Amino acid sequence: MGPLQGLKVIEMAGIGPGPFCAMMLSDMGAEVLRIDRADAVGAKGERDPRFEILNRGRPSIALDLKQPQAVALVRRLVQQADVLIEGFRPGVMERLGLGPEDCAKVNPKLVYGRITGWGQDGPLAQAAGHDINYIAITGALHAIGRAGQAPVPPLNLVGDFGGGSLYMLFGILCALWERERSGTGQVVDAAIVDGVNSLSSFLFGALARKGWVNERGKNVLDGGRPWYDSYQTKDGGYICIGPIEARFYQLFLERVGLADEALPDQNDPAGWPVLRERFTALFKTRSRDEWCQMLEGTDACFAPVLDPLEAAQHPHNVARGNFTEVDGVLQPVPAPRFSRTKPEIAGPASRAGQKTRAGLAAWGVPEQEIDALIAAKVAIQAAV
């Protein structure tokens, strides 16, 4: 079992960063109970839960939180919980009667995790938004893309999952550690904008020391250097190189047969267009696989650019067991790894309300009470 075995977590169902955070807690051994809305059960357009990888490893119960009995039930569950995670707009949980103060009354030791885009306060706190909007006001989106072109959204890896989920996880674990000394829980306000600002610390340092040009595509890590970029190969694939250090760059030149050519100096900006043109022409002389045979595994700082399905078949990922199938669906395994307590995927995702009966029973709600709650439509059991 994973290192978080024995930790009990309530997840108020949401999208994006909240489920990813809960998935990681579950992967690490925590007992996570997801609470879905009653109207999510059998909703039109509901997707096959096997493909909802972010919801894996934990049961889903469905409650009608407009009913006082349902709110009272959640408060009872909170009494046992170590952590609660919610990702609604500020004030929603308070209006339900399940805000931090409400929960602290029944469990002062609860760590209450709140994950939003804009944060719990500030002029944008009540505005709708998505990953692209959050990373835009941090400066991160401005820095990503080609010179002279529009910014490129980096999927939702930087905002939702990097600045959101992972900072929420960090905050929860910090609060749990502090609770060991104080005996009291607290609220973790994990705003994506805050997390992305923190992730950008290196960028602000580089700007301050004049080691970064405040323009896209003109810096060492944004494709502005010809020796830190991706190139197309003869067969239409792509490879990438990143030999920043002089000794790695020299090895790269030797490996690709350019060591004896009269090329511009690596760090002379005036010569970068020449280097880029030469590298572009060179990499189109061989297929991606041929370049892999020549360069992969060396200190030339090389890798093929793989699509996700190819990545699962790469020998390095295969050797480390980085992918698995759960209920026939390919997905990444839990990370990071531990020497003694091995993380595990507890199982595939459940439909909304699919395990209402089993989930409540596992948290100590008597069978007869569960029957009564389902009969009164306070709790909803999905048809399976």
Side-chain angles (χ1 to χ4, degrees):
M1 295 293 291
L4 295 183
Q5 184 179 9
L7 189 74
K8 301 190 73 170
V9 180
I10 293 173
E11 171 199 3
M12 306 302 294
I15 61 173
F20 185 71
C21 177
M23 181 200 79
M24 291 193 68
L25 290 168
S26 172
D27 286 349
M28 293 298 142
E31 181 182 355
V32 183
L33 182 67
R34 188 170 98 239
I35 300 179
D36 274 290
R37 301 188 318 273
D39 59 9
V41 177
K44 184 178 180 180
E46 183 182 20
R47 294 180 292 210
D48 188 327
R50 294 181 304 138
F51 307 127
E52 302 302 308
I53 294 175
L54 299 190
N55 290 339
R56 73 187 184 193
R58 52 205 193 270
S60 166
I61 69 171
L63 300 177
D64 181 359
L65 293 175
K66 295 178 181 179
Q67 298 195 46
Q69 286 175 280
V71 174
L73 178 59
V74 175
R75 288 178 181 164
R76 281 176 54 190
L77 299 175
V78 164
Q79 290 176 349
Q80 308 173 47
D82 296 291
V83 178
L84 182 146
I85 299 170
E86 64 96 358
F88 304 126
R89 294 196 206 194
V92 170
M93 289 292 280
E94 283 83 352
R95 289 193 291 276
L96 289 172
L98 295 170
E101 292 184 5
D102 302 301
C103 291
K105 290 177 182 177
V106 297
N107 183 357
K109 298 179 69 174
L110 182 74
V111 172
Y112 196 108
R114 318 196 81 169
I115 188 165
T116 59
W118 306 115
Q120 295 298 311
D121 51 36
L124 296 177
Q126 291 295 335
H130 280 297
D131 185 289
I132 192 170
N133 311 123
Y134 310 139
I135 68 173
I137 72 162
T138 67
L141 181 59
H142 173 273
I144 302 171
R146 294 292 182 183
Q149 298 181 20
V152 177
L155 306 182
N156 64 336
L157 300 178
V158 173
D160 282 351
F161 302 138
S165 304
L166 296 183
Y167 275 79
M168 170 60 86
L169 282 167
F170 179 64
I172 287 171
L173 297 178
C174 286
L176 288 171
W177 172 251
E178 192 278 338
R179 190 182 72 177
E180 291 297 305
R181 299 187 300 280
S182 69
T184 305
Q186 59 183 306
V187 177
V188 179
D189 174 6
I192 292 172
V193 291
D194 298 353
V196 176
N197 279 330
S198 176
L199 285 173
S200 302
S201 297
F202 93 95
L203 176 59
F204 282 85
L207 283 168
R209 62 177 169 79
K210 310 299 182 185
W212 191 273
V213 179
N214 201 15
E215 298 180 55
R216 276 184 302 285
K218 294 189 177 181
N219 297 281
V220 66
L221 300 178
D222 61 4
R225 305 291 190 269
W227 30 264
Y228 197 94
D229 209 345
S230 299
Y231 292 90
Q232 191 173 38
T233 57
K234 184 178 181 179
D235 58 350
Y238 285 85
I239 57 85
C240 67
I241 56 172
I244 297 174
E245 297 84 355
R247 67 186 186 280
F248 297 154
Y249 181 70
Q250 184 59 38
L251 175 64
F252 161 72
L253 294 180
E254 293 171 1
R255 286 276 180 168
V256 300
L258 296 179
D260 295 329
E261 286 196 19
L263 296 173
D265 182 78
Q266 177 187 8
N267 295 308
D268 178 10
W272 288 342
V274 175
L275 288 178
R276 189 178 299 278
E277 182 178 358
R278 185 69 183 94
F279 294 166
T280 299
L282 174 70
F283 284 118
K284 285 187 176 180
T285 63
R286 289 182 169 86
S287 69
R288 190 184 70 181
D289 288 348
E290 289 174 319
W291 286 116
C292 286
Q293 292 173 6
M294 291 179 62
L295 296 170
E296 198 165 19
T298 74
D299 284 351
C301 302
F302 165 93
V305 178
L306 306 178
D307 68 39
L309 297 180
E310 288 177 316
Q313 300 302 319
H314 189 277
H316 188 77
N317 285 322
V318 171
R320 289 182 60 79
N322 280 337
F323 291 86
T324 189
E325 283 194 4
V326 177
D327 206 6
V329 177
L330 180 70
Q331 53 199 275
V333 302
R337 305 172 189 219
F338 298 83
S339 61
R340 292 186 295 102
T341 52
K342 182 180 179 180
E344 296 176 350
I345 298 172
S350 303
R351 293 187 185 277
Q354 183 176 346
K355 296 186 178 180
T356 293
R357 187 179 297 277
L360 289 173
W363 280 57
V365 180
E367 187 76 24
Q368 288 184 332
E369 184 176 347
I370 296 173
D371 290 339
L373 291 168
I374 291 175
K377 297 185 179 181
V378 172
I380 310 296
Q381 173 71 34
V384 293

